[in-house]
Amino acid sequence: MLNRMWRAARLDASLYEEVEADSKATGQAMVVVVLSSLATGIGGLTEGGVVGLLVGIGMGLLGWGLWAYLNYLIGGRLWKEAQTHADWGQLARVMGFASTPRLLSVLALVPIPAFRALVYLVATVWTWIAMVIAVRQALDYKSTLRAVVVTGLGWLVNAIVLTLVQVVLIDTLFGG
């Protein structure tokens, strides 16, 4: 599993083909998602304490699941190419491994605001690039641009939903 995570972080396209085809890799992909969500939560400790930890973990898990589903729906169903044949499990696996760069988020624990912002920026951009490669491979796209558009649309909807969830949670927990 660590070798696969290393290859995912190095943006190795063959890794995504490998895990797409390996239904036994689903558990490994879920471990990567949990670890990267935990890293995001730990990174949130500096600003939000225990609430930051819990929100980071929850948003990490929800964000991965929603983004994976949106990429499956948009890219695998609504805007697929003739050679696109993928199921939800395949997208979940490749996107699980593509979340490996989010492990960097643990470095946001350092209480220097500019450093924290840089950590989150690098982790986010690196993860998105990994997601683009994962989606391109899993959906057998001929064009990387198509994968950029699919993951970009998925990210946008995901960001809106996660923002709404956070607003509702904050309002519910802290009485707004």
Side-chain angles (χ1 to χ4, degrees):
M1 182 175 95
L2 292 176
N3 180 46
R4 283 180 164 174
M5 291 172 68
W6 176 247
R7 291 171 57 207
R10 286 186 9 240
L11 308 175
D12 179 351
S14 69
L15 171 272
Y16 296 108
E17 291 290 342
E18 179 183 311
V19 297
E20 174 194 6
D22 183 4
S23 62
K24 293 178 184 172
T26 302
Q28 291 180 350
M30 286 307 304
V31 169
V32 175
V33 171
V34 169
L35 289 174
S36 63
S37 296
L38 184 58
T40 302
I42 291 170
L45 276 170
T46 300
E47 278 189 23
V50 174
V51 172
L53 172 71
L54 296 176
V55 169
I57 293 170
M59 291 295 112
L61 293 170
L62 178 61
W64 164 81
L66 182 58
W67 198 9
Y69 182 75
L70 288 165
N71 286 339
Y72 168 69
L73 181 65
I74 296 166
R77 293 286 178 228
L78 300 176
W79 202 35
K80 65 182 183 176
E81 292 184 337
Q83 71 279 3
T84 300
H85 299 288
D87 61 33
W88 159 245
Q90 292 169 330
L91 257 294
R93 283 191 298 277
V94 299
M95 291 194 66
F97 277 95
S99 68
T100 299
R102 284 196 308 138
L103 289 169
L104 282 179
S105 299
V106 74
L107 297 176
L109 191 57
V110 174
I112 302 170
F115 181 75
R116 290 171 47 81
L118 180 62
V119 165
Y120 284 130
L121 177 65
V122 169
T124 299
V125 170
W126 191 358
T127 299
W128 184 41
I129 293 168
M131 296 288 182
V132 167
I133 295 168
V135 166
R136 182 189 67 206
Q137 298 307 117
L139 299 179
D140 301 311
Y141 286 163
K142 294 177 182 172
S143 163
T144 300
L145 180 59
R146 189 180 202 97
V148 167
V149 172
V150 167
T151 58
L153 288 171
W155 176 85
L156 181 62
V157 173
N158 191 25
I160 291 168
V161 170
L162 290 181
T163 300
L164 292 173
V165 167
Q166 284 183 318
V167 167
V168 169
L169 275 176
I170 290 169
D171 186 54
T172 302
L173 294 175
F174 301 104

